[in-house]
């Protein structure tokens, strides 16, 4: 694998586009031999956006609290892009901030979720979003099987939360 570096004159998007184009060129020949596409109903069954409810909520500049939002599934590009971000290179802990800002599609009425918004979230909300990201991208759902410690009954809960106390 070749290592690529970003120079101050080259844009991040340009580097990623060049990398994607080079990968696509190498994979063109095998793509022709790929099997036919999956039936339409199977493609429609894939859920790509998941609703969530923050435990505390994001407080905007006007003092309004935003708790509900949506997060989309991450792509390979979403996972690769932060790796060449200078802020992440200087502080690897910043990776989750950049990654979450890319995959959160809405937070209350806010549709332009950027790193500044994630930076101003409470730590409990960021931890919740990191776990939520891991669940939807590795397991594909927000449900978890749990056992009651008192009655030992098993049941399923939705970790995205719906109302206060449910997440």
């Amino acid at each position: 694998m070749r290592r690529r570096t970003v120079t101050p004159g080259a844009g991040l998007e340009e580097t990623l586009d060049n990398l994607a184009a080079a990968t696509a060129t190498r994979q063109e020949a095998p793509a022709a031999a790929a099997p036919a596409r999956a039936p339409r109903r199977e493609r429609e069954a894939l859920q790509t956006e998941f609703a969530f409810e923050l435990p505390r909520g994001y407080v905007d500049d006007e003092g309004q609290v935003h708790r509900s939002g949506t997060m989309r599934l991450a792509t390979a590009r979403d996972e690769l892009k932060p790796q060449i971000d200078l802020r992440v290179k200087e502080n690897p802990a910043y990776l989750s901030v950049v990654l979450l800002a890319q995959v959160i599609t809405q937070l209350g009425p806010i549709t332009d979720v950027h790193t500044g918004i994630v930076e101003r979230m409470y730590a409990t909300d960021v931890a919740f979003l990191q776990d939520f990201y891991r669940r939807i991208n590795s397991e594909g759902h927000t449900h978890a099987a749990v056992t009651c410690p008192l009655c030992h009954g098993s049941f399923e809960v939705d970790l995205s939360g719906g109302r206060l106390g449910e997440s």
Side-chain angles (χ1 to χ4, degrees), residues 38-48:
R40 184 177 174 94
R41 66 175 174 261
E42 285 182 28
R43 285 184 282 155
E44 290 177 347
L46 177 64
Q47 183 179 357
T48 59

Side-chain angles (χ1 to χ4, degrees), residues 107-163:
L107 188 57
I110 304 167
T111 56
D112 180 27
V113 179
H114 51 79
T115 56
I117 289 175
V118 178
E119 287 174 353
R120 293 192 316 252
M121 287 183 177
Y122 293 110
T124 53
D125 289 335
V126 173
F128 169 82
L129 289 169
Q130 288 170 334
D131 184 58
F132 190 72
Y133 174 91
R134 182 187 57 76
R135 285 191 182 282
I136 67 172
N137 284 289
S138 63
E139 298 169 12
H141 57 80
T142 60
H143 298 278
V146 295
T147 304
C148 176
L150 299 175
C151 69
H152 301 288
S154 296
F155 56 96
E156 190 174 88
V157 295
D158 186 356
L159 297 174
S160 64
R163 295 187 320 242

Side-chain angles (χ1 to χ4, degrees), residues 48-89:
T48 59
E49 284 204 350
F50 298 84
F52 62 82
E53 190 85 18
L54 293 175
R56 297 209 186 270
Y58 166 71
V59 181
D60 64 16
D61 294 334
E62 286 80 40
Q64 291 186 336
V65 179
H66 307 287
R67 295 187 63 229
S68 61
T70 56
M71 181 184 292
R72 66 174 173 79
L73 289 176
T75 63
R77 183 181 197 128
D78 292 326
E79 299 247 341
L80 291 171
K81 192 174 180 179
Q83 299 296 328
I84 56 176
D85 190 309
L86 294 177
R87 298 170 294 184
V88 174
K89 286 186 177 189

